[in-house]
Amino acid sequence: MPCCCCADAGCYPRVPTMEETVEDPPTSAILLDHCHFSQVIFNSVEKFYVPGGDVTCYYTLTQQFIPRRKDWIGIFRVGWKTTREYYTFMWVTLPVDLNSESAKQQEVQFKAYYLPKDDEYYQFCYVDQDGVVRGASIPFQFRPENEEDILVVTTQGEVEEVEQRNKELCKENRELKDSCDGLQKRNSDMQAELHKTQEELEILKSTTQKLEQKVKAQKESWETELLQLKEQNEKMSSENEKMGVRVEELQAQLSTQEKEMAKLIQGDQEKTEQLERLTEEKGQLLLTLTQQREHQKKLEQTIEEMKQEETSALKRQQALKDENSGLSRKLSENKVLYNGLQREKERLERENDLLKRENNRLLSYMGLDFDSLSYQVPTSDQGGAGRNPALVYGNPYSGIQESSAPGLLTVRKCPTCKSDFADDILDPAAEQQHLQPLCLNCPICDKTFPAKDKQIFEDHVFCHSL
């Protein structure tokens, strides 16, 4: 069973109420203070109560006191010093309407099994939720009703002791009444001052609430704006990082294509200058961004412009890549065309070899030795000098005619291959037929190149595809 320590009488048992099993009442360790004892007045307090019965406590709330939910009434042994020394307690009931007269008259009932069993003097005390005593009753006892006759026949010493105790209690009661009157007067003055202070406080509260609402609204606006700026800044940072990675990838791709684009750059000076202007504009935007960091809104606009410019530059660069791809495809087509012409040339050379062998066979058939002829038929490497336009390797009987009449033939040399051929046999058409295999004609502009300048001819044809 819980107990409470009393400074005068040592430890004694305390019986808790049913409500205390759920929650203890608010108490205070501050020593006794009589300043607030007059705010709650106890009525109809008996000198003694019969043990074994319930006790009803009647009290009146004054106008200066407003009850609260955690207020309680406790039974204290006379001589207590702090509100922690209660024996038992009951929670008070809050009135519905504090302004009505019935709300001022209240009561609580203590069950018999929670009341003290000894004959010591006790008193009711009203304690608020801050642990401060707001009212105290006169002392009373718990004893049987017929015990008064027994007290009459007590010894003289006990009677004197009781009388002395009564005198002390009366003196203390008078002192309490005088103190109560002074406190009531002081309380009235303080109530008036409190009322005035409360009015000023209400005005201050109203002003403070308005200011707080305004500050709260401004703060929410600032927080919302700051949050939006942070989100936009994070978004722009993320986009800048992505663009940086993309730029690095594009630079890596560009470095691998620099050699292939070296010739194309010469013909794209205007586009290069435009790219340089865009780069210069980007540098100016970056400088403007550095100078205007303190203004977040302008910074975002500048970053957005940079993003648009960079996107445009990437589109232009993609267009250049597409154009480069087209040129590469044209080059591939020209290479395929060249390979086809090369295969056609090889096919013609093979046919030339076949005709040469056929020519040798015919000479052998006629009983002539090809090597013994005084006029040698030029080979394919010598450009086919002395050919007849109708024969690939010339006239097979030209050697015979020359051997029979050497003095009548005029020998000419081919200006390209330096081989000899007769003027009276080869006409201009034959000479053109002789020179044709030794020259390379451009299929686009019909320009002629010597066969030994094959590389120059290929470069010339490639330039037409650019």
Side-chain angles (χ1 to χ4, degrees):
M1 180 181 295
C3 65
C4 180
C5 293
C6 177
D8 296 337
C11 291
Y12 59 90
R14 175 176 63 83
V15 180
T17 63
M18 185 180 297
E19 290 82 354
E20 189 181 1
T21 59
V22 178
E23 182 179 2
D24 291 335
T27 59
S28 175
I30 301 175
L31 297 178
L32 179 62
D33 186 4
H34 301 283
C35 297
H36 308 288
F37 280 19
S38 61
Q39 295 183 356
V40 178
I41 300 174
F42 290 92
N43 306 320
S44 303
V45 180
E46 304 291 341
K47 292 183 178 180
F48 66 89
Y49 294 94
V50 179
D54 298 339
V55 175
T56 303
C57 174
Y58 302 94
Y59 61 95
T60 302
L61 302 175
T62 62
Q63 295 180 355
Q64 294 81 13
F65 179 72
I66 299 176
R68 292 180 288 180
R69 186 175 62 86
K70 289 289 185 177
D71 294 354
W72 54 283
I73 295 177
I75 297 178
F76 291 79
R77 181 185 291 182
V78 174
W80 58 275
K81 298 297 181 184
T82 65
T83 55
R84 292 182 178 180
E85 301 176 11
Y86 67 91
Y87 185 87
T88 186
F89 79 97
M90 290 292 295
W91 298 106
V92 301
T93 303
L94 293 179
V96 179
D97 187 7
L98 294 175
N99 297 324
S100 64
E101 187 63 27
S102 61
K104 304 298 181 182
Q105 304 296 328
Q106 299 291 325
E107 65 180 52
V108 294
Q109 188 178 48
F110 292 90
K111 297 297 182 181
Y113 47 83
Y114 288 142
L115 298 175
K117 307 300 182 183
D118 54 19
D119 56 356
E120 296 290 338
Y121 282 90
Y122 294 89
Q123 64 181 148
F124 297 114
C125 291
Y126 189 103
V127 185
D128 63 8
Q129 67 179 16
D130 297 327
V132 179
V133 178
R134 299 294 180 175
S137 70
I138 62 175
F140 57 84
Q141 288 180 290
F142 294 94
R143 60 182 177 83
E145 187 175 0
N146 58 357
E147 189 174 350
E148 185 177 357
D149 298 334
I150 300 174
L151 293 176
V152 176
V153 294
T154 55
T155 61
Q156 185 66 27
E158 293 178 352
V159 172
E160 292 177 355
E161 183 180 355
V162 172
E163 290 178 353
Q164 182 66 26
R165 180 66 174 170
N166 287 335
K167 290 179 181 180
E168 292 177 357
L169 291 175
C170 290
K171 182 179 179 181
E172 183 179 356
N173 193 18
R174 286 193 298 272
E175 292 176 354
L176 289 174
K177 287 182 179 180
D178 294 339
S179 177
C180 183
D181 294 337
L183 290 173
Q184 286 181 351
K185 182 178 180 181
R186 182 182 175 186
N187 187 33
S188 300
D189 297 337
M190 292 180 67
Q191 288 294 332
E193 185 179 355
L194 179 62
H195 183 68
K196 183 178 180 181
T197 306
Q198 285 179 347
E199 291 179 353
E200 296 177 355
L201 183 60
E202 289 296 332
I203 296 173
L204 290 175
K205 282 184 178 179
S206 177
T207 306
T208 304
Q209 288 177 356
K210 292 180 180 179
L211 291 175
E212 287 179 351
Q213 291 177 358
K214 186 181 294 184
V215 170
K216 184 177 180 181
Q218 186 67 27
K219 183 179 179 181
E220 290 177 354
S221 177
W222 288 347
E223 288 179 352
T224 303
E225 186 177 356
L226 181 60
L227 182 60
Q228 292 177 355
L229 290 176
K230 285 183 178 178
E231 290 178 354
Q232 292 178 0
N233 192 13
E234 292 177 357
K235 184 178 180 181
M236 294 303 299
S237 299
S238 177
E239 291 179 356
N240 286 338
E241 291 178 358
K242 292 180 180 179
M243 292 300 297
V245 174
R246 180 59 180 168
V247 168
E248 291 179 357
E249 293 177 355
L250 292 176
Q251 288 178 350
Q253 295 178 2
L254 186 61
S255 62
T256 58
Q257 297 179 358
E258 284 181 351
K259 294 181 180 180
E260 297 178 0
M261 295 177 62
K263 295 180 180 180
L264 296 176
I265 290 175
Q266 295 177 0
D268 298 333
Q269 291 296 330
E270 183 178 354
K271 295 181 180 179
T272 303
E273 292 175 358
Q274 185 178 3
L275 183 60
E276 290 176 355
R277 286 196 300 271
L278 292 175
T279 305
E280 184 178 0
E281 291 177 2
K282 181 178 178 182
Q284 293 177 357
L285 291 175
L286 289 174
L287 181 59
T288 305
L289 177 64
T290 304
Q291 294 175 351
Q292 297 179 354
R293 284 185 181 276
E294 297 179 358
H295 202 295
Q296 185 68 21
K297 185 176 181 179
K298 292 183 179 181
L299 174 65
E300 294 172 0
Q301 294 176 355
T302 305
I303 293 176
E304 184 66 22
E305 292 175 1
M306 291 173 59
K307 177 183 174 182
Q308 294 176 358
E309 292 294 336
E310 191 169 0
T311 303
S312 178
L314 290 175
K315 290 180 179 179
R316 294 188 184 96
Q317 187 175 7
Q318 186 64 34
L320 290 176
K321 288 183 179 179
D322 295 339
E323 186 176 355
N324 186 21
S325 300
L327 294 177
S328 299
R329 286 194 298 272
K330 289 182 179 179
L331 179 60
S332 300
E333 294 174 358
N334 290 333
K335 287 183 178 180
V336 171
L337 180 60
Y338 172 76
N339 292 331
L341 294 175
Q342 188 68 23
R343 287 192 296 271
E344 181 66 18
K345 178 183 176 182
E346 293 176 355
R347 185 182 65 79
L348 293 175
E349 289 178 351
R350 287 193 297 271
E351 291 180 358
N352 193 10
D353 292 338
L354 290 175
L355 292 174
K356 181 179 178 181
R357 287 195 294 271
E358 181 65 19
N359 192 12
N360 293 333
R361 187 182 66 79
L362 292 174
L363 291 175
S364 299
Y365 178 77
M366 295 174 65
L368 299 176
D369 188 3
F370 184 77
D371 294 332
S372 64
L373 293 177
S374 60
Y375 179 77
Q376 299 294 329
V377 179
T379 62
S380 61
D381 293 337
Q382 293 176 345
R387 293 177 184 173
N388 188 288
L391 299 176
V392 177
Y393 294 99
N395 189 357
Y397 304 102
S398 60
I400 301 174
Q401 293 174 358
E402 183 181 2
S403 61
S404 60
L408 299 177
L409 297 177
T410 302
V411 180
R412 295 179 57 195
K413 290 185 177 290
C414 177
T416 302
C417 62
K418 305 301 180 180
S419 60
D420 298 332
F421 57 89
D423 287 340
D424 57 347
I425 297 177
L426 295 179
D427 57 5
E431 183 178 357
Q432 183 66 24
Q433 183 70 21
H434 168 76
L435 294 176
Q436 186 175 3
L438 302 179
C439 300
L440 300 174
N441 295 326
C442 177
I444 298 174
C445 64
D446 295 332
K447 188 176 180 179
T448 304
F449 295 88
K452 61 181 180 179
D453 297 334
K454 181 179 179 181
Q455 183 63 39
I456 298 175
F457 169 75
E458 292 178 355
D459 294 341
H460 173 77
V461 174
F462 175 75
C463 290
H464 282 295
S465 63
L466 295 180

